[in-house]
Amino acid sequence: SSDVCSSDLELDLTKLPGWQEAEEATQKRIIESAKNYIQNQDNVAYEWIGTNKYNRPALAGCRAFQLLLKESPEFLDNLSSEIWKKWTPVIIATPIINRHEDSYLEIVKCAYVNAPQESINTLITLIDKENQEHGHIVVISRFDKCWDQRLKLALLEKAKDPTLKPKYFEQLLKELLKQEKLLKQGLTEVRDFAKSLISFPLPLAENEWEKVLTASRVLIQNLD
């Protein structure tokens, strides 16, 4: 593993001069190499996930997925669940210049559909990192195309983690309430959880009464 440099953060190979200047035959060889890499790379590194180090062979795998989504999507449609499970932690954790880029969000969606538990496990690892280092929620935006009841409940369980900092807890609760409304399934687990936190008199422990105030504020701001 090593520190990431700016050129590594561009996951779309088709935007790089090397691809744009290549002849069609060379581009086809690159596509075939990407397929081979995804299928046959057995030593995928995970130890960098949740740290500030990155593994370039793993990043190359995410680049390969990004390329194939654009140039050979039918190949991804036919990948085995075992291969998706192997690469999903890398896809979720890969650093990227623009995490809102549609092609990246689509790859995350494919990973989530084919390997939901691996996706959620990696997301939780990255949430722990954000909570400890920044106290600001960012990584969940990678899942903008993935929200369903399973993801909501997994993150609701994480919202109950007492190690979450107050500001991070507030942001997570807001996002969960927003997504619960958008899912429109008539299920109110997040709302019920927020209501369950509200008690009077306020608890004595500072982190507990902060959660009471946060839940009250977020409910008022986000409910009809």
Side-chain angles (χ1 to χ4, degrees), residues 54-215:
Y54 303 97
N55 181 274
R56 284 185 171 82
L59 300 188
C62 192
R63 278 179 158 177
F65 273 90
Q66 193 96 337
L67 176 66
L68 294 170
L69 176 68
K70 182 174 287 189
E71 301 294 332
S72 187
E74 69 285 349
F75 173 82
L76 297 183
D77 290 339
N78 294 308
L79 275 183
S80 69
S81 61
E82 288 74 19
I83 292 177
W84 277 110
K85 288 177 181 178
K86 177 170 65 175
W87 285 104
T88 284
V90 169
I91 292 170
I92 303 302
T94 290
I96 183 172
I97 294 173
N98 181 9
R99 65 184 182 277
H100 300 295
E101 187 171 345
D102 190 71
S103 59
Y104 176 70
L105 295 181
E106 196 62 37
I107 282 292
V108 172
K109 178 183 176 181
C110 292
Y112 180 70
V113 168
N114 288 282
Q117 196 56 55
E118 288 76 9
S119 299
I120 290 171
N121 291 346
T122 307
L123 174 59
I124 296 301
T125 297
L126 298 178
I127 284 175
D128 286 337
K129 178 176 182 291
E130 282 188 344
N131 178 60
Q132 289 301 316
E133 292 188 356
H134 311 299
H136 183 68
I137 201 163
V138 175
V139 68
I140 288 178
S141 63
R142 296 177 180 230
F143 283 71
D144 280 353
K145 293 191 174 188
C146 303
W147 281 94
D148 61 7
Q149 184 69 0
R150 177 173 184 159
L151 179 60
K152 185 191 82 172
L153 291 178
L155 290 177
L156 174 58
E157 192 61 33
K158 186 61 182 174
K160 300 174 184 179
D161 183 347
T163 68
L164 291 183
K165 296 175 181 177
K167 190 64 178 176
Y168 201 93
F169 168 75
E170 180 173 358
Q171 293 171 69
L172 180 55
L173 188 58
K174 283 181 178 179
E175 184 65 28
L176 282 167
L177 281 169
K178 182 183 81 172
Q179 295 298 336
E180 185 167 79
K181 290 173 69 176
L182 292 174
L183 287 172
K184 296 180 180 178
Q185 295 177 330
L187 302 173
T188 60
E189 296 94 344
V190 179
R191 183 186 307 190
D192 294 341
F193 166 64
K195 288 180 179 179
S196 75
L197 295 175
I198 300 172
S199 63
F200 190 82
L202 290 174
L204 296 177
E206 181 179 356
N207 63 327
E208 293 301 321
W209 62 253
E210 274 196 83
K211 283 190 175 182
V212 174
L213 298 179
T214 294

